[in-house]
C-alpha cells in the first residue's frame, strides 16, 4: 500500500508539469477571451448603466433646481434625461397629400385644411361617399 | 601565420545528435501524437467550468479591467493577474482526476 502511494507521489512530481502546461493554456485562453470582450466593448452593460444613472441624477438636480424655471428656460421643460423640447415641434417635412413643406407642430391643422377644404378633395370625397350610399 | 589557423573549429554535426530528449519531452510528444493531450485539455476545461473556476477567473479579469480601464489592458497583464490565483484554486479532485488520466495513459503507452 505505502509502496504504491510513494509511487503516486513521485510520479505526481513527474506528471505535474504536464498538468501545469494544460492549465496554463486554459488560463491564456480565458485571459484572451476577457481581453477581447473588453476591447470590443461587449461587456459594457455595467459601465453604461452607471453612466446613465449619473446623467439622470444630474438632470434631476437641474430640473429640481428652482432657479431654472425663472429665466429663458421657462418655455422649455427639462425631462429626467436632461433633454429639452420646444412647446411646438419644429421638425419640417413634406405633406404626403399636397406635397408642401409643413412644420410638424402645425401638421394637424394643415391636414384639416388640406384634406377637408380643398375643392377637388371635398367634391371627390363627397361624390364617392354619396355614390356609395346611392347604391 | 595566417589568421585562418586561429579560427575556432567548425562545429561537428555529429555532436548535436547527442542531444537526447528528456523524459518530460518524450512524455509530451507521446501525449500530443496520440491526441491524448487534446482530450485532457477538453476534460480539464469542462471540469474547471463545472466547478465555477472559470467564472472566478473571468471575474478577476473584469475587476482588473475595470480598474485599469479597458483600453489599457494587455493579454499578458491579464495572464499575470490570474495565473497565481488560478493555479492555487484548482480543486484537488480536478487535479487528481487529470493526473490519474495522465498516469493511466502513460502506463498503457508502455513508457
Amino acid at each position: 500500500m505505502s509502496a504504491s502511494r510513494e509511487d503516486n507521489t513521485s510520479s505526481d512530481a513527474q506528471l505535474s508539469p504536464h498538468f501545469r502546461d494544460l492549465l496554463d493554456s486554459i488560463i491564456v485562453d480565458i485571459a484572451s477571451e476577457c481581453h477581447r470582450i473588453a476591447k470590443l466593448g461587449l461587456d459594457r452593460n455595467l459601465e453604461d448603466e452607471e453612466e446613465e444613472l449619473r446623467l439622470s441624477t444630474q438632470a434631476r438636480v437641474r430640473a429640481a433646481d428652482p432657479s431654472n424655471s425663472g429665466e429663458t428656460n421657462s418655455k422649455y421643460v427639462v425631462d429626467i434625461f436632461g433633454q429639452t423640447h420646444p412647446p411646438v415641434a419644429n421638425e419640417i417635412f413634406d405633406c404626403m397629400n399636397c406635397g408642401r413643406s409643413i412644420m410638424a407642430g402645425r401638421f394637424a391643422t394643415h391636414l384639416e385644411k388640406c384634406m377637408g377644404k380643398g375643392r377637388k378633395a371635398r367634391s371627390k370625397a363627397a361624390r364617392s361617399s354619396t355614390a356609395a350610399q346611392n347604391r | 601565420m595566417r589568421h585562418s589557423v586561429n579560427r575556432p573549429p567548425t562545429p561537428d554535426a555529429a555532436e548535436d545528435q547527442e542531444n537526447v530528449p528528456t523524459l518530460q519531452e518524450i512524455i509530451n510528444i507521446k501525449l500530443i501524437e496520440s491526441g491524448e493531450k487534446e482530450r485532457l485539455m477538453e476534460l480539464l476545461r469542462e471540469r474547471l467550468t463545472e466547478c465555477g473556476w472559470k467564472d472566478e477567473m473571468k471575474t478577476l479579469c473584469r475587476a482588473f479591467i475595470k480598474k485599469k480601464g479597458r483600453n489599457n489592458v494587455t493579454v499578458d497583464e491579464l495572464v499575470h493577474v490570474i495565473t497565481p490565483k488560478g493555479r492555487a484554486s484548482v480543486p484537488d479532485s480536478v487535479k487528481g482526476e487529470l493526473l490519474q488520466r495522465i498516469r493511466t495513459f502513460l502506463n498503457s503507452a508502455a513508457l
Side-chain angles (χ1 to χ4, degrees):
Chain A
M1 269 285 129
S2 57
S4 63
R5 208 180 317 142
E6 276 172 19
D7 230 8
N8 269 0
T9 44
S10 66
S11 65
D12 261 10
Q14 278 188 341
L15 303 184
S16 284
H18 300 284
F19 176 77
R20 179 163 278 202
D21 221 11
L22 297 170
L23 191 61
D24 284 347
S25 295
I26 292 179
I27 286 179
V28 170
D29 280 350
I30 292 178
S32 169
E33 191 183 327
C34 286
H35 178 266
R36 174 180 172 269
I37 289 177
K39 286 285 169 136
L40 294 182
L42 297 178
D43 195 18
R44 296 293 291 155
N45 291 340
L46 196 61
E47 275 89 340
D48 280 348
E49 281 171 13
E50 291 178 359
E51 182 72 17
E52 267 217 34
L53 206 60
R54 207 170 44 84
L55 282 176
S56 71
T57 24
Q58 279 180 1
R60 235 189 287 264
V61 168
R62 252 182 284 138
D65 193 352
S67 67
N68 261 351
S69 47
E71 309 154 16
T72 48
N73 284 342
S74 59
K75 280 193 201 163
Y76 294 82
V77 178
V78 180
D79 69 18
I80 64 165
F81 295 112
Q83 296 170 326
T84 62
H85 304 283
V88 179
N90 53 12
E91 207 174 282
I92 295 185
F93 64 100
D94 293 336
C95 168
M96 49 292 293
N97 202 37
C98 64
R100 284 154 69 183
S101 283
I102 309 293
M103 205 171 84
R106 301 258 172 251
F107 187 52
T109 325
H110 162 80
L111 262 192
E112 277 178 0
K113 295 185 224 146
C114 174
M115 297 182 82
K117 269 200 211 163
R119 190 165 51 89
K120 275 192 188 163
R122 231 301 143 90
S123 48
K124 183 180 182 191
R127 246 185 290 133
S128 63
S129 64
T130 49
Q133 278 173 16
N134 287 341
R135 230 175 259 145
Chain B
M1 279 247 254
R2 286 179 175 269
H3 290 291
S4 57
V5 175
N6 293 329
R7 253 181 68 233
T10 311
D12 194 351
E15 272 178 17
D16 287 329
Q17 283 165 11
E18 283 173 23
N19 254 346
V20 181
T22 65
L23 180 60
Q24 296 297 356
E25 287 171 348
I26 296 176
I27 295 178
N28 200 31
I29 290 170
K30 280 258 180 277
L31 282 172
I32 294 175
E33 281 181 349
S34 63
E36 184 67 9
K37 188 159 194 186
E38 190 88 26
R39 286 188 285 268
L40 289 170
M41 188 95 118
E42 285 319 301
L43 176 64
L44 184 56
R45 245 191 261 271
E46 195 180 318
R47 291 285 179 264
L48 290 176
T49 307
E50 281 169 3
C51 68
W53 178 94
K54 183 174 175 185
D55 291 329
E56 276 177 38
M57 296 303 114
K58 289 183 86 167
T59 304
L60 287 177
C61 286
R62 262 181 273 144
F64 181 79
I65 290 169
K66 190 161 176 194
K67 204 166 51 138
K68 264 208 118 194
R70 67 185 183 107
N71 285 316
N72 296 337
V73 178
T74 65
V75 179
D76 236 11
E77 286 175 333
L78 287 176
V79 170
H80 283 117
V81 164
I82 61 177
T83 296
K85 182 84 199 292
R87 285 183 183 165
S89 60
V90 175
D92 285 336
S93 57
V94 174
K95 182 164 182 181
E97 184 182 354
L98 266 291
L99 287 178
Q100 184 54 47
R101 269 287 285 258
I102 299 176
R103 211 176 290 124
T104 311
F105 167 76
L106 292 178
N107 286 337
S108 68
L111 209 62

